[in-house]
Amino acid sequence: MKGDYKLLTDVQLANLLDQQDKAAFEEIYRRYWAVLYGFARKMLQDNEQAKDIVQDTFTKLYIQIGVLNFQQINIAPYLYTLVRNAVITYINRNKLKINYISSFQEYVNAGEYVTDNQVLENEMQRQIDQEIASLPPKMREVFELSRKANLSRKEIAETTQLSEETVKKQIYNALKILRTRLKSYFF
């Protein structure tokens, strides 16, 4: 009997599918598996995934026996459409995975560890503040007026009752001391 199914047209096989004839399904499977696999393989360039998609396509077809009216469907275009849609879905899911992995990899490669950076920045600021606090009192006052209050040398001289030259020398000496003390910390 199976030999007789090879002689049937797709329309005749569709009629038999509507009668829930499993042998008709088997003939459609034998007739279209290789061509659908080639179609999927050409689009995917992946043998195993192409096999999976074709197998899933025939599983969907089998599930539709007794549900779908196959007399109104051309079997070949229907199967090609199922395979094409499955391939498109697979590619879109794969792109999403690739984009997610790529995005995550970029994040890791960038080395942006906000918490670590914040901790380092806080530690650095604490060390700088500690070194400024250890400067001689008048030098510290001049330096803080220069760097924290953003006053000019002339304004600092007027505020502290020092000459502009003394203010300039105090700022220079404060920077020299700070560079020396913080050099090992930064480098």
Side-chain angles (χ1 to χ4, degrees):
M1 181 78 177
K2 286 189 180 184
D4 295 341
Y5 282 90
K6 286 183 180 181
L7 302 174
L8 297 177
T9 65
D10 284 354
V11 174
Q12 291 168 321
L13 289 172
N15 288 336
L16 291 171
L17 280 180
D18 283 337
Q19 297 168 23
Q20 300 183 8
D21 186 331
K22 305 301 184 208
F25 172 81
E26 290 171 14
E27 178 57 32
I28 291 170
Y29 183 89
R30 277 191 295 280
R31 192 175 287 185
Y32 286 103
W33 193 94
V35 292
L36 291 174
Y37 169 75
F39 178 63
R41 172 68 181 88
K42 184 177 179 181
M43 292 193 311
L44 291 172
Q45 302 298 312
D46 181 340
N47 294 341
E48 292 307 310
Q49 193 56 46
K51 286 178 187 176
D52 288 346
I53 285 177
V54 172
Q55 197 60 40
D56 288 346
T57 298
F58 280 106
T59 300
K60 288 176 186 173
L61 178 67
Y62 189 81
I63 290 169
Q64 294 298 321
I65 294 175
V67 176
L68 206 59
N69 184 355
F70 288 102
Q71 291 177 7
Q72 297 176 350
I73 296 173
N74 288 330
I75 296 289
Y78 176 71
L79 291 172
Y80 275 99
T81 301
L82 287 176
V83 169
R84 187 196 65 201
N85 290 344
V87 167
I88 291 169
T89 300
Y90 172 77
I91 289 171
N92 287 337
R93 283 186 187 152
N94 223 21
K95 281 182 185 176
L96 184 63
K97 284 180 194 174
I98 289 169
N99 288 341
Y100 177 75
I101 291 169
S102 175
S103 172
F104 182 72
Q105 189 63 44
E106 286 174 19
Y107 173 77
V108 169
N109 289 342
E112 288 296 321
Y113 306 106
V114 177
T115 305
D116 291 347
N117 289 344
Q118 189 64 47
V119 168
L120 287 173
E121 188 177 318
N122 290 342
E123 177 61 26
M124 197 180 309
Q125 186 60 52
R126 187 194 62 73
Q127 187 70 30
I128 291 169
D129 290 343
Q130 183 179 344
E131 293 300 333
I132 291 171
S134 71
L135 292 172
K138 200 64 170 173
M139 186 184 289
R140 183 180 66 233
E141 179 186 6
V142 169
F143 183 79
E144 287 179 340
L145 289 172
S146 169
R147 295 303 191 254
K148 292 184 179 177
N150 294 318
L151 297 179
S152 68
R153 288 184 199 148
K154 185 175 183 177
E155 293 169 325
I156 295 170
E158 291 171 3
T159 305
T160 59
Q161 304 298 318
L162 298 171
S163 70
E164 277 189 61
E165 193 58 37
T166 303
V167 168
K168 179 180 175 182
K169 188 86 168 152
Q170 290 286 346
I171 293 171
Y172 173 80
N173 288 338
L175 288 171
K176 186 176 177 182
I177 291 168
L178 291 173
R179 271 192 213 108
T180 303
R181 290 180 184 171
L182 296 172
K183 188 179 215 178
S184 63
Y185 184 75
F186 290 111
F187 303 106

